[in-house]
Amino acid sequence: PNWTAATQNLFATTRQTVSEGNNATLTVDIPEPAPDFTARSTASSYNFISLFRKSGHINALQLDTGGGASVVHFTGGNFYRTYIPWSGVYDDGNWHHLAAVYDSSSGMTAYVDGSQEGTNYNSGLLDTTNTRWGVGCNLADPVSELYDGQLDDIAIYDRALSDTEVSTLSSGGSVTSGLVSRWDFEDKVYSRYQDTVGGNAMYLGSGSNEPTEASGRSGTVLDFDGTNHFAGMPDDASLDLTDQITISLFFNTTQSSA
């Protein structure tokens, strides 16, 4: 198909919209200066759903068409999946805590609600890319893997948290050592949520592509419709963690598969 694109400056962002024939369009606000980026709607060929990912680096949780779920990490030009139970287990419409803990010397460990649910011992420094972080989506070109559910209190650490620290987070407690960025969705300025620790603001899709706010687990949560909504952050060196990383987030969904 022939794609057409248009750009429009909007406060501190560039708004980009793309359409294909009579199909619905997606629009996203991106911080300036913005590299080339095209947003378009998902097609049926995409058979994954992503909650929080940076393509070619790490995906904190990805659902597939078979009702499975995994944490994905990229190292040495390859990707590896750490599988966790999903359909009929964590797609129950209740709040759950996810922690993806990676150490270049030992691999990935995935926790849900403080308990280890999966491990993958493929190790080595994580690959880095210049792609954006997708929230409730894969924010590559095209925007895809749209999530239907809620997210809250997303955090990135520059070290591998211990079992005890993960348990503390899952119980709603605080762990600050090594914390690089955190988005609790309580501080919104225009179409972006502030990073309460670092300088990595989370930008929202604009217009019909903007996720809605809801009252949830603890204050405001971000609600995605699985059809249009998405958010993300620009590529930033402070988040290109290769030796150790922990991603912590809370999710609530009834989405059983991609």
Side-chain angles (χ1 to χ4, degrees):
N2 294 322
W3 291 92
T4 59
T7 62
Q8 174 186 357
N9 289 333
L10 184 68
F11 47 90
T13 66
T14 296
R15 172 171 290 182
Q16 297 190 345
T17 304
V18 182
S19 61
E20 179 189 12
N22 295 323
N23 288 355
T25 61
L26 292 182
T27 305
V28 63
D29 290 334
I30 323 169
E32 295 178 344
D36 292 339
F37 177 75
T38 303
R40 61 186 179 187
S41 57
T42 57
S44 59
S45 59
Y46 288 97
N47 57 349
F48 294 105
I49 299 296
S50 288
L51 276 66
F52 188 70
R53 70 169 289 168
K54 183 180 184 185
S55 296
H57 183 57
I58 193 169
N59 189 339
L61 185 58
Q62 186 176 65
L63 313 184
D64 60 46
T65 52
S70 59
V71 176
V72 187
H73 70 277
F74 297 76
T75 180
N78 299 308
F79 70 90
Y80 302 96
R81 295 185 179 277
T82 304
Y83 289 96
I84 64 173
W86 186 256
S87 182
V89 182
Y90 296 122
D91 56 345
D92 58 1
N94 295 312
W95 282 102
H96 298 283
H97 177 258
L98 170 80
V101 180
Y102 184 77
D103 189 318
S104 63
S105 64
S106 56
M108 177 68 74
T109 304
Y111 300 78
V112 182
D113 297 336
S115 298
Q116 288 190 26
E117 288 285 16
T119 56
N120 188 303
Y121 298 107
N122 288 283
S123 57
L125 296 178
L126 290 177
D127 296 339
T128 59
T129 66
N130 60 358
T131 57
R132 294 173 175 82
W133 289 83
V135 183
C137 70
N138 175 6
L139 196 56
D141 178 13
V143 174
S144 60
E145 303 179 11
L146 300 178
Y147 167 63
D148 185 1
Q150 296 179 333
L151 293 174
D152 192 22
D153 203 0
I154 302 173
I156 299 177
Y157 294 81
D158 65 3
R159 63 185 184 86
L161 268 58
S162 67
D163 292 354
T164 300
E165 289 171 318
V166 170
S167 180
T168 296
L169 290 175
S170 71
S171 301
S174 176
V175 176
T176 58
S177 176
L179 185 58
V180 176
S181 287
R182 181 188 177 207
W183 303 269
D184 60 7
F185 306 125
E186 302 299 330
D187 186 7
K188 184 179 181 183
V189 179
Y190 296 104
S191 61
R192 72 198 86 171
Y193 285 101
Q194 301 306 300
D195 177 353
T196 63
V197 178
N200 298 296
M202 181 184 296
Y203 287 75
L204 307 178
S206 59
S208 63
N209 302 132
E210 181 173 340
T212 59
E213 291 184 342
S215 297
R217 186 191 68 85
S218 177
T220 303
V221 302
L222 209 54
D223 197 340
F224 298 81
D225 66 0
T227 303
N228 297 300
H229 295 165
F230 60 90
M233 293 87 67
D235 177 45
D236 189 90
S238 67
L239 301 180
D240 282 338
L241 304 171
T242 60
D243 183 28
Q244 295 185 348
I245 186 173
T246 297
I247 295 175
S248 167
L249 60 83
F250 288 87
F251 66 88
N252 181 350
T253 185
T254 58
Q255 192 166 24
S256 59
S257 64

